[in-house]
Amino acid sequence: MDFELTQEQKMLAESAASFAKKTSPVERLRKIRSMPHVEGVEQRHAAKADPRNWEPAVWKQMAELGWLGLFYPESVGGLGLRFFDASLVIEKLGTTLVPEPYVASVVLAGWALLKAGSAEQHAKYLTPMIEGETSLALAWQERGSRYDVTSVKTVAKKSGSGHALTGEKVLVLNGHAADHVVVSARTEDGALALFVIDPKSKGVTIESITTMDASRAAQLRLEGAEGVRLTGGDAQVALEWALDLAAAAACAEGLGIARTVLDMTNAYLKVRKQFGVPIGTFQVLQHRAVDMFVQTQLLESTAILAAVRADEEDADERRRAVSIAKVRLTAGGKYVTQQSVQLHGGIGITDEHDVGLYFKRMQVLCTLFGDDEHHLTRFASREAFATTVGE
């Protein structure tokens, strides 16, 4: 397999790196997270507070660069490239913690819509998101469901030409700001289905919550909310594939974070002095820096494999690659960010230093879309793995 990037891929990665550095440095995240958090539409308007924690103008700019439709077919307004191309952008966005909901809207909700929706529904809900006019969210998780997409208690009853949805969804990424939310529910005959709801419609209550990394998500309560059923594909297949794609995206973002904190730590070891010499001259600290480098290299190789396999039709190969990368992210990503905090000493645990922001985001990425326990279990339950062990 040829791992060399094409000239176009190199230009795409360089463009994303430049965008992250110039348009959205870490200082921008600090500024956005310090905005007042005010409940209620009227109250937010009075306080001039933006509830999104990201900016529509920047989202539109990302759309104009073509990034929101990189791996979507041209028929829905995309560029028809592979997910690997998008992973190059996601990695660079991770280097400065860009807050726009690329993974939540483009990767997670967008892919579920593509696989479960009809052509007419793509035009109505997916294309506007690719054009940067709207953003999406996928509400699939419920209390106690862990990472099982089939553990759904939300019900959808036929109501006129549509459905009335009742239930509760938790930790809906970008659910506090999305223009449309894709919701999983059980129909009256027990089938798993996906529906699109307008979060501003009657029967929908959204509670905005702040997550560990200062991002925001939503708890969603539905009481007879009107939903439009997606009719273009199998809901379970779409959900499982969307989660795999999002897990691969988390690994790409985690790789960007690991590389950044490794560079930050190496630079700090060269300027911080004790006993009149840079602490980077101490052999024990050099060993730790080398271990961080090794873990980052391991992250890179598994993240690339996951990105290559993530949009392939072969579900077994896709799950294998994604689970390997996610377990590696949990082990290596945590190690790199934890060591970075340790090597920065006291300043590393203060909110004023950026290394703490990267540490928190890495903890979130390790948990999203399946933690290491989930992915180890899934990997071991594969028929191919069980056969190999039996031999």
Side-chain angles (χ1 to χ4, degrees):
M1 182 178 289
D2 183 7
F3 289 105
E4 282 292 322
L5 298 180
T6 65
Q7 190 60 35
E8 290 77 13
Q9 289 171 331
K10 290 178 181 176
M11 291 173 63
L12 177 63
E14 290 170 0
S15 173
S18 176
F19 174 90
K21 185 177 181 180
K22 296 178 181 177
T23 305
S24 187
V26 178
E27 290 75 20
R28 175 172 171 257
L29 174 68
R30 288 186 176 280
K31 182 180 178 182
I32 287 177
R33 73 170 187 164
S34 66
M35 290 179 180
H37 177 57
V38 181
E39 291 292 347
V41 176
E42 293 181 359
Q43 290 84 346
R44 285 199 296 267
H45 181 73
K48 297 182 179 179
D50 192 329
R52 297 184 185 87
N53 256 27
W54 54 271
E55 297 178 275
V58 176
W59 186 245
K60 183 68 175 177
Q61 191 176 350
M62 294 168 74
E64 291 169 351
L65 289 166
W67 295 351
L68 306 191
L70 276 173
F71 56 98
Y72 286 102
E74 294 179 7
S75 59
V76 300
L79 298 183
L81 301 178
R82 296 290 307 278
F83 178 74
F84 177 75
D85 300 290
S87 75
L88 300 174
V89 173
I90 296 169
E91 179 192 334
K92 299 306 179 187
L93 298 182
T95 61
T96 60
L97 303 172
V98 175
E100 272 61 36
Y102 193 96
V103 175
S105 181
V106 177
V107 179
L108 187 62
W111 195 255
L113 248 172
L114 179 73
K115 293 301 173 185
S118 65
E120 182 182 351
Q121 291 166 336
H122 293 160
K124 186 173 182 179
Y125 303 116
L126 184 56
T127 300
M129 187 276 291
I130 290 174
E131 293 172 346
E133 300 296 333
T134 63
S135 71
L136 302 171
L138 177 63
W140 65 276
Q141 207 163 10
E142 300 186 358
R143 296 185 191 278
S145 67
R146 291 284 289 168
Y147 305 109
D148 182 3
V149 299
T150 64
S151 179
V152 176
K153 296 178 181 176
T154 301
V155 296
K157 294 183 178 179
K158 195 74 176 175
S159 176
S161 59
H163 287 77
L165 276 63
T166 300
E168 184 182 26
K169 298 292 182 180
V170 299
L171 198 61
V172 182
L173 303 178
N174 196 44
H176 65 295
D179 297 279
H180 298 103
V181 181
V182 181
V183 180
S184 62
R186 294 278 178 190
T187 59
E188 291 167 291
D189 60 0
L192 181 63
L194 289 175
F195 301 83
V196 176
I197 66 166
D198 179 350
K200 300 183 185 68
S201 64
K202 183 180 178 183
V204 181
T205 303
I206 295 176
E207 178 188 358
S208 179
I209 58 174
T210 302
T211 56
M212 176 184 180
D213 59 346
S215 300
R216 284 185 189 158
Q219 310 285 68
L220 200 65
R221 284 190 294 278
L222 307 171
E223 298 175 358
E226 182 180 356
V228 177
R229 184 171 182 173
L230 297 181
T231 56
D234 185 275
Q236 183 173 340
V237 172
L239 280 170
E240 291 177 344
W241 201 341
L243 284 177
D244 276 341
L245 209 69
C251 294
E253 185 179 341
L255 174 60
I257 290 174
R259 280 178 165 159
T260 302
V261 299
L262 176 61
D263 291 342
M264 290 171 63
T265 306
N266 282 335
Y268 184 75
L269 294 179
K270 292 174 183 175
V271 298
R272 177 74 168 90
K273 292 185 177 179
Q274 280 188 347
F275 310 112
V277 297
I279 60 175
T281 60
F282 302 153
Q283 192 175 41
V284 67
L285 300 190
Q286 291 175 358
H287 287 171
R288 287 208 199 179
V290 169
D291 287 340
M292 289 172 65
F293 172 78
V294 171
Q295 291 297 331
T296 303
Q297 293 299 107
L298 292 172
L299 277 180
E300 180 179 10
S301 60
T302 54
I304 289 174
L305 179 62
V308 169
R309 299 293 192 204
D311 56 358
E312 290 187 352
E313 293 282 349
D314 188 334
D316 188 60
E317 278 300 315
R318 184 179 74 234
R319 290 168 185 159
R320 174 179 174 275
V322 168
S323 288
I324 290 173
K326 203 60 172 44
V327 172
R328 174 46 48 196
L329 178 71
T330 305
K334 279 187 178 178
Y335 180 85
V336 172
T337 50
Q338 286 171 347
Q339 289 302 313
S340 180
V341 171
Q342 288 286 324
L343 293 178
H344 275 81
I347 196 173
I349 60 172
T350 64
D351 188 63
E352 285 73 18
H353 201 285
D354 290 346
V355 72
L357 302 179
Y358 289 103
F359 173 84
K360 292 175 182 176
R361 180 59 182 166
M362 182 66 84
Q363 308 310 303
V364 171
L365 290 175
C366 290
T367 305
L368 287 176
F369 321 122
D371 57 14
D372 55 340
E373 181 182 350
H374 167 77
H375 281 284
L376 274 173
T377 302
R378 189 174 81 156
F379 183 90
S381 66
R382 295 171 55 246
E383 184 177 350
F385 178 78
T387 303
T388 303
V389 172
E391 292 174 350

